[in-house]
Amino acid sequence: MADQTDRPVVDLRSDTVTRPTAQMRAAMAAADVGDDVYAEDPTVNALEAEVAALFGHEAALWAPTGSMANQIALQLLVPPAHELLCDADAHVVTYEVGAAAAYGGVSSRTWSAVGADIDPDTIAAMIRPDGYHAVPTRAIAVEQTHNRGGGGVVPLATLRALRGIADRAGVALHCDGARIWHAHVADGVPLRTYGELFDTLSVCLSKGLGAPAGSVIVGSAERMARARVIRKRMGGGLRQVGVLAAAGRYALEHHVGRLADDHARAARLAEAIAPFGVLAGPVRTNIVPLDLSKSPLDAAGVAAAARAEGVLVSVLGPYIGRLVTHHDVDDAGIDHAIEVLTRVLRG
């Protein structure tokens, strides 16, 4: 992809813009396939077994998108007209177009958006038990890493506290783990350790890992049997989907460890633009959050000026932007982005 001057474009809008590598495409082309609606695709079955084992759960189920994976998990945990607790910036209530209510009849209530800096006591105080003419809480959802929280990593101690709170209250705990691989690399927490804390997890293969599509829901065998029915109801029952599962398997084998490179490149970006006072928070993983509210520029203006010089920036609000490093942006790309963004922010 190039602009009119044939300058390579550095796309920092999202880690979903990556393209499969030649090696991943070869794995996809060679995939052994079957009909996954009949649970007869050997590559899908192998991927599901692999991911379930990574997180220490009985079973897993492939889904075409992260949003579908999350919404299937929520329907497993929260009956219609019952309540989900999550934060106000959570992906499940911000970027999934009201699916929890539309598909699952789930009522949601949120705590103030604090990214990864969750206060377990605040959440404990929000849980509503059965009775008292109130909607009872059935599940808590947390996001790891936190997208709108600038890629923040929820500390393991916080997650363990939430597990204890959920157990005492008799509610379930779900992890939107779209970028949990980043948390694993950044903090060194084993995936199985994360897995043992949650009743269900959704983990994405196309954010950061470079697969073209696919997420995996993880949980008990009983829940995954029900998840298969919900997936079919939501239109996610695909046939010879092993070609996509093969991309996921390749990504798990080859692209998890290299996420540390993305973290280092994000840190370089953050260090370069920090003097302009536009960083919205610390940078722990591959997301650099921008807050331009104290700048003479707005997010759309920064994005337009950067685009004119071959750098793409995500606009999340009038004064909120985001830079995301990923597999398709190398050190030279970061050098170019730094050159352009410092010039744009300098005005």
Side-chain angles (χ1 to χ4, degrees), residues 188-254:
V189 176
L191 295 172
R192 178 177 285 265
T193 299
Y194 281 135
E196 68 187 12
L197 296 173
F198 294 97
D199 297 283
T200 56
L201 303 94
S202 64
V203 298
C204 189
L205 303 169
S206 64
K207 285 189 175 74
L209 295 192
S215 285
V216 181
I217 313 151
V218 182
S220 68
E222 182 274 332
R223 284 193 170 114
M224 292 307 100
R226 289 196 288 130
R228 182 172 289 274
V229 175
I230 297 170
R231 185 186 68 176
K232 178 71 170 174
R233 184 180 298 132
M234 295 180 72
L238 304 183
R239 300 296 179 173
Q240 287 73 29
V241 76
V243 290
L244 292 176
R249 296 196 74 195
Y250 183 91
L252 289 176
E253 182 176 355
H254 298 281

Side-chain angles (χ1 to χ4, degrees), residues 20 35 71 106 118 135 159 173 307 335 338:
D35 191 328
Q71 294 304 321
V106 173
I118 299 170
V135 179
L159 297 176
L173 192 61
R307 178 182 282 270
D335 290 340
I338 289 172

Side-chain angles (χ1 to χ4, degrees), residues 257-282:
R258 64 149 309 280
L259 294 176
D261 297 337
D262 295 339
H263 299 177
R265 288 167 181 150
R268 284 184 58 210
L269 277 172
E271 182 180 10
I273 66 175
F276 298 96
V278 297
L279 279 181

